[in-house]
Structure formats: C-alpha cells, structure tokens
C-alpha cells in the first residue's frame, strides 16, 4: 500500500469528493482524520467504512475557516497518531449568483470556506511537516479557478486564489521535502452540483471530451497519487481531473 504508516487529514471529508478521498487514502494504508463542520453522522459513517476495511480513522469537528478550529484539527491528528504526513484541503462551498445580485456575506463565506481555510490549515500543519522534513499538501481547486465561470465570481476567485497559494507555498516549503500540489476537478456529481439546472449539466457534458461526468473516486485517485512518494519530484502543479473540460472553457 502506497500510504502505509502515513497520517492524513481530509477537510470536508464527510461527503462528496472529500468522502471519496478519505476512503481512498485509507485503502492505500493511511490513518485518516475525517474533518467535518456540521454533519457528524456522515463523518462517522466514513470512519465506520474505513474501519470495516481494517483501516484506522477518527472524525474531528472543526470549522476550518476559523484559525482556532483549524489548529484544533491539526492538534487532534498529532495527539492521536503522533505525526502528520498528508493534508488535503477540500473544505468548500458555493453561493452562486451574478455579481450585481451577490450579497457581501455570500462573497465572504465562499472566500473564507474555500481559501482562508487552506491558509489556516497549512499555516499550522507546515510547522509539523517542517520539523519532520516531510509532507504532502494537496489543495482541491476547480476548473472554475482556471477558466472562470459566470455567476461564480466568489467561487472562481477563491479557487483561482488557491492555485496561486499552492504555487507560492510549494516554493516556500520545497527545501524541507514538502510537496504542495492541487487537483482541479471538472464537473463531479456531489451535493454541491446536484441542484444545477439540467440545461447546464447537458452543456457541461457536451463540452467534456470524455463524455461523462467525474466521480469522487476519479478525484481521489489523483489525490492519492500526489499524496504518495510516487509523486516525490512533483510540486507546485495543478492537475486537472476534468475529462478535458478545461480545454473548452
């Protein structure tokens, strides 16, 4: 198993892409800290599934958009497992609206959840990884951060910011054997996308050369690679896992 004896945190790990990532990392041998903000039942379900496959996992509640709670999450991982090798910044939300109608609080919420949370977690985790002289950080961005999307100025800005953050942090931490990369999903069926209008889903499908939507497992496979030593000479990169969608937007 590629991640045997490694300890991983997955923020927003109770549902959707985060759930898929948590399960995949555990199957690869990692001990997983499943972070959630509100849905304890979903997080405990993920932990239960991991344990059914003889893996190790705990669920930790924390709103990682708050620095104090991000610190609590990182401390919980280290207190439980003694170290931290992998951090996956997956926590995210949307509040889609044209800018003329967008509320200031919806801008702030999306920026805080999608971008500030990564800063909070990385700032705390970096100290531990630097002392270990080892770490893997994977940030979940989006095709919207690469190409922009009408009605998503807040979401696109947060995900584009995460790409710049990834590249800058990779330069800061590389000398300590810490790799920092990002995965940019295309259209993936999750709770965040389930309510999109059917005409938008049809359009996305037409623009995707591989002619299907992504799955959480597709994203998890990419994250597991970047979290493993198979990617030890890769840092500061954005891997688009989108069926080719970004080529058309």
């Amino acid at each position: 198993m590629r991640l045997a004896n490694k300890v991983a945190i997955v923020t927003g790990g109770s549902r959707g892409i985060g759930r898929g990532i948590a399960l995949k990392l555990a199957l690869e041998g990692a001990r997983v800290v499943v972070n959630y903000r509100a849905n304890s039942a979903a997080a405990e379900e993920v932990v239960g599934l991991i344990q059914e496959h003889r893996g190790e996992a705990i669920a930790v509640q924390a709103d990682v958009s708050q620095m104090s709670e991000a610190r609590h999450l990182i401390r919980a991982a280290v207190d439980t497992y003694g170290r931290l090798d992998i951090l996956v910044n997956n926590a995210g939300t949307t509040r889609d609206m044209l800018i003329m109608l967008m509320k200031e609080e919806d801008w702030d919420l999306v920026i805080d959840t999608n971008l500030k949370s990564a800063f909070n977690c990385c700032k705390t985790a970096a100290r531990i990884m630097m002392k270990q002289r080892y770490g893997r950080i994977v940030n979940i961005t989006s095709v919207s951060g690469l190409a922009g999307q009408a009605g998503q100025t807040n979401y696109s800005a947060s995900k584009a910011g995460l790409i710049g953050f990834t590249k800058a942090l990779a330069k800061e931490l590389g000398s300590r054997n810490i790799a920092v990369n990002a995965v940019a999903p295309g259209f993936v069926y999750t709770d965040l996308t389930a309510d999109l209008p059917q005409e938008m889903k049809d359009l996305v499908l037409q623009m995707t050369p591989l002619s299907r939507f992504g799955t959480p497992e597709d994203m998890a496979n990419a994250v597991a690679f970047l979290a493993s030593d198979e990617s030890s000479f890769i840092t500061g990169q954005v891997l688009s896992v989108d069926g080719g969608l970004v080529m058309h937007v």
Side-chain angles (χ1 to χ4, degrees), residues 32-46:
V32 180
V33 177
V34 179
N35 162 248
Y36 68 98
R37 184 183 64 83
N39 195 334
S40 60
E44 292 295 347
E45 180 187 4
V46 176

Side-chain angles (χ1 to χ4, degrees), residues 3-151:
L3 303 178
N5 301 316
K6 297 293 194 292
V7 176
I9 291 175
V10 181
T11 69
S14 65
R15 296 182 298 171
I17 291 174
R19 180 181 187 273
I21 292 169
L23 293 172
K24 176 64 176 178
L25 297 185
L27 288 173
E28 293 284 355
R31 292 167 286 176
V32 180
V33 177
V34 179
N35 162 248
Y36 68 98
R37 184 183 64 83
N39 195 334
S40 60
E44 292 295 347
E45 180 187 4
V46 176
V47 169
L49 288 171
I50 291 172
Q51 292 173 342
E52 285 178 15
H53 289 85
R54 299 184 179 180
E56 293 185 57
I58 59 170
V60 177
Q61 191 280 330
D63 177 357
V64 289
S65 69
Q66 304 297 315
M67 178 63 82
S68 61
E69 297 197 32
R71 288 173 178 159
H72 164 71
L73 171 64
I74 304 300
R75 281 197 304 266
V78 176
D79 289 347
T80 302
Y81 296 121
R83 59 184 293 114
L84 175 60
D85 303 288
I86 300 161
L87 170 63
V88 182
N89 288 302
N90 169 75
T93 193
T94 57
R95 292 293 187 276
D96 295 352
M97 185 61 64
L98 295 174
I99 194 168
M100 297 302 295
L101 301 174
M102 185 178 292
K103 298 177 181 178
E104 182 181 2
E105 52 265 36
D106 287 341
W107 172 273
D108 291 343
L109 175 68
V110 171
I111 296 296
D112 286 350
T113 303
N114 297 0
L115 182 57
K116 188 184 177 187
S117 63
F119 165 76
N120 291 342
C121 291
C122 286
K123 181 177 175 64
T124 306
R127 295 182 181 275
I128 297 162
M129 292 179 174
M130 288 174 72
K131 289 179 181 179
Q132 295 173 169
R133 291 188 173 271
Y134 181 89
R136 298 285 183 267
I137 297 172
V138 184
N139 298 318
I140 307 302
T141 178
S142 170
V143 65
S144 295
L146 290 165
Q149 180 63 44

